[in-house]
C-alpha cells in the first residue's frame, strides 16, 4: 500500500478499517491512496477527543477501494483513490449543509433543526461529571425529563434540566433514562471508559464487522452482476442492485445513501406511525425512493414480504429483536429470500446465534440515538 498522507494515524486507520471489513489484503497492498490536502484539513476539522477526520477519510477511501474491485479482473491491479479531508469532513457533517430551494422564490432554506432544544450535554453533581441526553424524539425527550423529575407539560426549560442534573450523578441519570426507554450516556474520561464494563465487553468482541453465511442461496436474488461499462457517463458499479432500506435517522440511512451513490436502486421503507426528523430524512434520501408500510395491517405485512422477496440486499437498523417480533427477523427474511444479503447496523452490537454473555445481550438491546 502506498499512502500519501500527513497523518500516521490515517495510515493506521486505513489498515485497521480494511481488516475490519474483511478486505482482501492484496487489494490494499496494491492501492495508492492520496489523502492529503495541503493543510486544508485544519480549516474543517471535526472537533472531538478522537481522530474523527482521519477516520472519515479512511471510511471514504475504503468504500471506494472496495467498490472499485467490482470492475477489476485482478485484485493485484493498482487502484488510485484520492480523498481530501475537506471533502470527507463535509460529507460526515452533510446534514449541516443541506438546503431546500423554494421553486417560486428560489430562496434557499434549511430543512429544519436536527437537534431538539433539550438534546445536549449537562453538567452533573460529581466533580467533572457530565451526561448526554438525547431528546430528538418525543418519547426520548419525555424519558429524559421524567428521569430528573420534570415534564414538558409543566413548562420545563433547558435551564430547569440543567439545575435538576446538577443535583444528581451522571450514572444515576443515565440509568434512569434507560429504564424509562430513553437514550442517554454518561460522558467518561479515557481512564473511566477503560475501567467500565462496556469497555471490557468491547474488548471481548472479535470484530466490529462480522460476515457469515445465513442461507442456502448462492447470491443476490436476481443473479445481479456488476455492470461492465460506465453508465451514462457516471461510474455506477452497483447499477441494477436492489436494496430494501429499513433504517432510520442517520447511521443506517447513510449506508443506503452510499449504496445509492454507487448505483444501486434503493427503496426506503418506514412505518407511518414512527416519528421522524425531516432534516435527517432530506439529507440521507438523495436518489432513493420512499414509501410507508404499516405492519399493524395484514396488507402491510404481505407487502413487506413481497419487497423482501424482490430485494438483493436488505438493510436494517432496528434494535435486535424489534423486527423479529414483527415477523421480519433474520431467519424470517432468509426464509422468504434465501439469496438475500442481510446487512444490520446496530448502535451497540448485534447478537450472534446463541449469544449468552449477559453484558453483550444487555448492550445490544440498549437504545442508541438512532432508535
Amino acid at each position: 500500500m502506498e499512502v500519501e498522507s500527513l497523518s500516521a494515524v490515517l495510515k493506521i486507520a486505513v489498515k485497521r478499517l480494511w481488516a475490519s471489513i474483511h478486505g482482501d489484503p492484496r487489494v490494499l497492498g496494491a492501492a495508492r491512496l492520496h489523502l492529503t490536502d495541503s493543510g486544508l484539513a485544519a480549516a474543517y476539522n471535526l472537533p472531538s477527543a478522537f481522530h474523527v477526520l482521519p477516520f472519515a477519510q479512511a471510511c471514504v477511501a475504503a468504500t471506494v477501494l472496495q467498490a472499485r474491485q467490482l470492475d477489476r479482473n485482478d485484485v493485484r491491479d493498482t487502484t488510485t483513490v484520492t480523498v481530501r479531508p475537506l471533502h470527507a469532513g463535509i460529507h460526515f457533517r452533510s446534514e449541516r449543509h443541506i438546503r431546500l430551494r423554494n421553486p417560486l422564490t428560489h430562496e434557499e432554506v434549511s430543512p429544519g433543526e436536527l437537534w431538539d432544544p433539550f438534546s445536549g450535554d449537562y453538567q452533573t453533581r460529581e466533580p467533572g461529571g457530565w451526561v448526554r441526553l438525547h431528546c430528538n424524539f418525543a418519547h426520548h425527550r419525555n424519558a429524559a425529563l421524567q428521569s430528573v423529575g420534570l415534564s414538558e407539560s409543566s413548562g420545563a426549560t433547558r435551564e430547569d434540566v440543567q439545575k435538576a442534573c446538577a443535583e444528581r450523578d451522571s450514572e444515576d441519570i443515565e440509568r434512569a433514562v434507560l429504564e424509562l426507554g430513553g437514550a442517554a450516556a454518561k460522558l467518561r474520561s479515557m481512564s473511566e471508559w477503560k475501567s467500565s464494563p462496556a469497555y471490557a465487553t468491547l474488548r471481548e468482541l472479535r470484530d466490529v464487522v462480522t460476515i457469515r453465511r445465513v442461507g442456502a442461496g448462492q447470491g443476490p436474488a436476481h443473479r445481479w452482476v456488476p455492470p461492465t461499462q460506465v453508465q451514462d457517463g457516471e461510474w455506477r458499479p452497483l447499477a441494477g442492485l436492489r436494496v430494501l432500506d429499513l433504517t432510520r435517522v442517520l447511521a443506517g440511512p447513510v449506508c443506503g445513501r452510499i449504496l445509492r451513490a454507487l448505483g444501486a436502486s434503493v427503496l426506503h421503507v418506514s412505518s407511518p406511525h414512527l416519528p421522524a426528523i425531516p432534516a435527517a430524512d432530506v439529507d440521507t434520501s438523495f436518489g432513493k425512493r420512499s414509501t410507508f408500510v404499516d405492519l399493524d395491517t395484514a396488507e402491510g405485512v404481505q407487502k413487506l414480504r413481497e419487497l423482501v422477496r424482490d430485494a438483493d440486499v436488505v438493510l436494517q437498523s432496528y434494535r435486535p429483536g424489534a423486527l423479529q417480533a414483527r415477523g421480519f427477523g433474520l431467519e424470517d427474511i432468509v426464509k422468504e429470500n434465501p439469496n438475500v444479503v442481510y446487512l444490520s447496523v446496530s448502535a451497540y452490537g448485534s447478537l450472534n446465534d446463541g449469544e449468552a454473555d449477559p453484558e453483550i445481550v444487555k448492550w445490544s438491546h440498549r437504545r442508541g440515538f438512532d432508535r
Side-chain angles (χ1 to χ4, degrees), residues 95 98 111-114 249-250 253 257 277-285:
E95 76 283 349
I98 191 71
E113 290 295 327
L114 186 66
V249 190
L250 285 178
R257 184 178 69 180
I277 303 175
D281 291 343
V282 170
D283 179 53
T284 59
S285 297

Side-chain angles (χ1 to χ4, degrees), residues 97-358:
H97 302 282
I98 191 71
R99 293 293 183 270
L100 299 179
R101 176 173 293 178
N102 186 314
L104 299 179
T105 65
H106 302 292
E107 179 186 8
E108 293 186 354
V109 298
S110 168
E113 290 295 327
L114 186 66
W115 293 102
D116 183 87
F118 285 106
S119 291
D121 302 332
Y122 293 87
Q123 195 165 9
T124 54
R125 180 171 56 187
E126 76 274 24
W130 291 83
V131 67
R132 175 77 176 184
L133 299 180
H134 181 65
C135 305
N136 283 15
F137 294 138
H139 62 290
H140 285 174
R141 182 169 59 251
N142 292 337
L145 294 177
Q146 189 178 343
S147 72
V148 293
L150 299 171
S151 68
E152 195 170 11
S153 60
S154 65
T157 65
R158 186 181 176 93
E159 290 70 27
D160 294 330
V161 177
Q162 177 55 77
K163 291 178 182 178
C165 288
E167 298 176 355
R168 302 183 61 178
D169 290 343
S170 54
E171 285 195 25
D172 292 338
I173 298 174
E174 177 189 68
R175 186 182 307 109
V177 172
L178 295 175
E179 289 176 352
L180 290 168
K186 171 185 175 179
L187 304 188
R188 294 168 169 83
S189 67
M190 191 59 70
S191 60
E192 287 178 314
W193 167 243
K194 289 186 176 181
S195 63
S196 69
Y199 179 80
T201 300
L202 281 176
R203 288 182 63 86
E204 294 298 319
L205 297 178
R206 293 169 297 175
D207 298 295
V208 175
V209 178
T210 58
I211 300 175
R212 59 193 177 99
R213 180 175 292 277
V214 294
Q218 299 300 313
H222 303 91
R223 294 190 175 93
W224 173 83
V225 293
T228 57
Q229 57 187 6
V230 171
Q231 304 283 317
D232 299 324
E234 298 287 343
W235 179 59
R236 295 288 185 263
L238 297 183
L241 189 74
R242 303 183 186 185
V243 179
L244 182 60
D245 184 348
L246 308 177
T247 65
R248 303 184 63 225
V249 190
L250 285 178
V254 167
C255 291
R257 184 178 69 180
I258 292 172
L259 294 176
R260 174 62 192 131
L262 293 172
S265 175
V266 181
L267 175 64
H268 181 261
V269 178
S270 186
S271 165
H273 307 301
L274 291 177
I277 303 175
D281 291 343
V282 170
D283 179 53
T284 59
S285 297
F286 283 108
K288 298 180 184 178
R289 294 171 297 148
S290 298
T291 189
F292 289 112
V293 171
D294 188 352
L295 294 184
D296 289 336
T297 68
E299 294 80 5
V301 171
Q302 180 58 32
K303 184 60 181 177
L304 188 56
R305 285 177 178 161
E306 293 173 2
L307 292 173
V308 167
R309 288 195 291 266
D310 198 43
D312 297 312
V313 177
V314 171
L315 168 63
Q316 78 88 24
S317 65
Y318 291 89
R319 281 184 300 155
L323 287 179
Q324 183 178 9
R326 293 284 193 159
F328 289 93
L330 172 58
E331 292 182 356
D332 303 307
I333 287 177
V334 171
K335 183 178 179 180
E336 293 287 345
N337 185 349
N339 298 299
V340 75
V341 175
Y342 181 87
L343 176 59
S344 179
V345 181
S346 177
Y348 294 106
S350 299
L351 291 175
N352 293 323
D353 294 335
E355 184 62 68
D357 188 312

